Amino acid sequence: MREFFQKRLSLAITLVIFVFFVFVATFIIALAITIFLNYIGYVKHSDMTKALPFFGFVGFCILLGTSLTAFLSKKALNPIRTVIDATHKVADGDFSVKVNIKGIGELEELSQSFNKMTYELSSIETLRSDFVNNFSHEFKTPIVSIRGFAKLLKENNLTEEERQEYLHIIMTESERLAALSTNVLALSKYEHLEIISDKMPFRLDEQIRKTIVLMEPKWSAKDITVNVELDNVTFSGNEDLTQQIWVNLIDNAIKFSHNGSTIHISLSNKTEQIEFAIQDDGIGMDSQTKARLFDKFYQGDISHAKQGNGLGLPLVKRIVQLCSGTIYVESAKDEGSKFTIILPK
């Protein structure tokens, strides 16, 4: 019973006690002022005697007011109890709960903030679930493939051509698994990194030009034309770190571009900032994909038909943040995508 009163009625009791003491304090102050006025002769003793019934009435009013406060406090505190009950549901994992309190400005604001919180928690839970599913898929698929083809290689009735094909698949899947592990470790490292060390000035335009040449086998295989407009830009940073930005963005543009299309790459040396942009004429993305583009392991292509593990763009975003820059995305379904990076000088 004691625990019940402590947990369920503590706020109501506090309110009643507070109101009671306000009433009592007011009564005591009024009585003290009257006694003081009588002491200095401003109020006669006969007037004090006549005032006693009044003070008795005031005492009755105090008791009545306190009783009404105790009676009405439960209703007055119902909105608070509603929020408390909703909080218990959220603590139990129910993020669909909503609170709708009207009439009192502060409580309306509280309910709106609470609903926003549950929405964000629900989104985070969805992301966590998707992360686990995608992570499991990306690791399990190459392992299953390697195991399956390794079993086939144990058979003695394979032709040399089949054997070489299976070995090639095993090597490809092994490289995919190694790349995935490397990206996971790199992302984990950069997520906990706050300050970039080993900064030195280098030509950013030359680095991007070398990266384009490095990716030449990929864009040549799809007969893609690369239009390049690079201003001379010297940037102070970690050269190995920034190169991963261009490798991932260019690789992405090639991956999602149509055969025979064009990729536009530009680097502008502006007055107060450096602006890099890469635009393709590929498949583009819908609003849902664009909203979750930088989530780890998220891939807009749920069939996983395109090679990748959903770690490239989160890695890019984190490196850009470490460089004190920002990244913007413009895209529409079947209209291509444009990534813009702003770096400070």
Side-chain angles (χ1 to χ4, degrees):
M1 180 64 72
R2 184 179 178 182
E3 291 182 358
F4 173 81
F5 278 100
Q6 285 179 341
K7 292 181 180 179
R8 303 297 297 173
L9 297 178
S10 59
L11 188 57
I13 291 174
T14 302
L15 178 61
V16 171
I17 292 174
F18 174 77
V19 171
F20 174 75
F21 276 109
V22 169
F23 285 159
V24 170
T26 304
F27 176 76
I28 292 174
I29 291 171
L31 183 61
I33 291 173
T34 304
I35 293 173
F36 175 74
L37 292 175
N38 176 255
Y39 177 77
I40 63 176
Y42 190 81
V43 177
K44 297 179 180 179
H45 183 73
S46 59
D47 293 333
M48 283 284 292
T49 305
K50 292 178 182 179
L52 287 177
F54 171 74
F55 284 109
F57 176 73
V58 171
F60 172 75
C61 289
I62 290 174
L63 294 175
L64 180 62
T66 304
S67 301
L68 287 173
T69 302
F71 179 76
L72 297 174
S73 62
K74 184 176 181 180
K75 182 174 179 61
L77 296 175
N78 273 342
I80 303 297
R81 290 200 179 91
T82 300
V83 174
I84 292 173
D85 291 339
T87 304
H88 288 320
K89 292 180 180 178
V90 171
D92 291 335
D94 181 8
F95 302 128
S96 63
V97 61
K98 300 293 179 187
V99 175
N100 187 22
I101 302 175
K102 300 293 183 182
I104 303 175
E106 288 79 1
L107 292 179
E108 281 191 29
E109 186 176 348
L110 174 63
S111 66
Q112 291 170 2
S113 299
F114 182 89
N115 293 337
K116 182 178 180 182
M117 178 194 71
T118 55
Y119 174 79
E120 293 296 333
L121 288 173
S122 178
S123 300
I124 292 172
E125 179 65 18
T126 301
L127 289 178
R128 187 194 66 80
S129 177
D130 288 349
F131 174 85
V132 172
N133 291 337
N134 289 326
F135 185 84
S136 300
H137 178 275
E138 293 300 329
F139 265 90
K140 183 179 179 181
T141 301
I143 292 174
V144 170
S145 181
I146 290 170
R147 183 179 63 185
F149 284 103
K151 286 182 177 180
L152 290 174
L153 284 172
K154 290 181 67 176
E155 299 179 3
N156 296 322
N157 58 346
L158 295 176
T159 65
E160 183 61 26
E161 184 179 355
E162 288 175 330
R163 192 177 297 277
Q164 292 300 320
E165 180 185 356
Y166 297 162
L167 285 171
H168 176 73
I169 293 173
I170 290 175
M171 289 174 62
T172 302
E173 292 299 304
S174 300
E175 290 170 359
R176 177 182 168 188
L177 198 57
L180 178 59
S181 302
T182 301
N183 284 338
V184 169
L185 292 173
L187 187 56
S188 176
K189 173 185 175 182
Y190 297 143
E191 279 183 335
H192 295 88
L193 186 68
E194 296 298 332
I195 300 174
I196 298 177
S197 59
D198 302 326
K199 283 187 177 182
M200 58 178 4
F202 63 94
R203 285 283 297 276
L204 202 59
D205 55 305
E206 285 299 323
Q207 185 183 60
I208 294 171
R209 194 173 283 109
K210 289 177 182 177
T211 306
I212 295 170
V213 173
L214 181 69
M215 308 293 288
E216 191 271 340
K218 290 191 174 183
W219 52 264
S220 291
K222 297 183 71 172
D223 194 26
I224 293 173
T225 301
V226 182
N227 285 337
V228 182
E229 296 179 20
L230 305 176
D231 292 347
N232 293 338
V233 176
T234 300
F235 179 72
S236 180
N238 185 302
E239 198 166 354
D240 293 334
L241 202 61
T242 54
Q243 184 168 12
Q244 295 187 53
I245 299 174
W246 325 127
V247 169
N248 279 288
L249 289 181
I250 295 172
D251 184 57
N252 245 36
I254 295 170
K255 186 189 306 180
F256 295 104
S257 289
H258 302 297
N259 289 348
S261 61
T262 303
I263 294 175
H264 305 272
I265 299 175
S266 65
L267 181 68
S268 303
N269 193 3
K270 298 187 179 295
T271 306
E272 297 182 352
Q273 61 191 26
I274 301 165
E275 182 177 307
F276 169 85
I278 179 168
Q279 183 172 4
D280 62 69
D281 302 321
I283 62 175
M285 64 188 88
D286 55 28
S287 57
Q288 179 183 356
T289 302
K290 191 163 64 171
R292 299 188 57 189
L293 196 59
F294 298 106
D295 295 341
K296 287 181 286 188
F297 289 102
Y298 178 76
Q299 297 182 63
D301 176 22
I302 58 175
S303 67
H304 298 269
K306 301 285 186 183
Q307 285 189 350
N309 48 49
L311 288 176
L313 289 177
L315 193 59
V316 167
K317 184 177 181 180
R318 182 55 187 156
I319 295 173
V320 170
Q321 289 174 338
L322 288 171
C323 295
S324 301
T326 51
I327 182 169
Y328 303 96
V329 184
E330 301 172 52
S331 184
K333 194 70 174 174
D334 300 321
E335 295 182 15
S337 302
K338 181 181 180 180
F339 288 82
T340 304
I341 292 177
I342 306 296
L343 296 174
K345 280 194 167 182

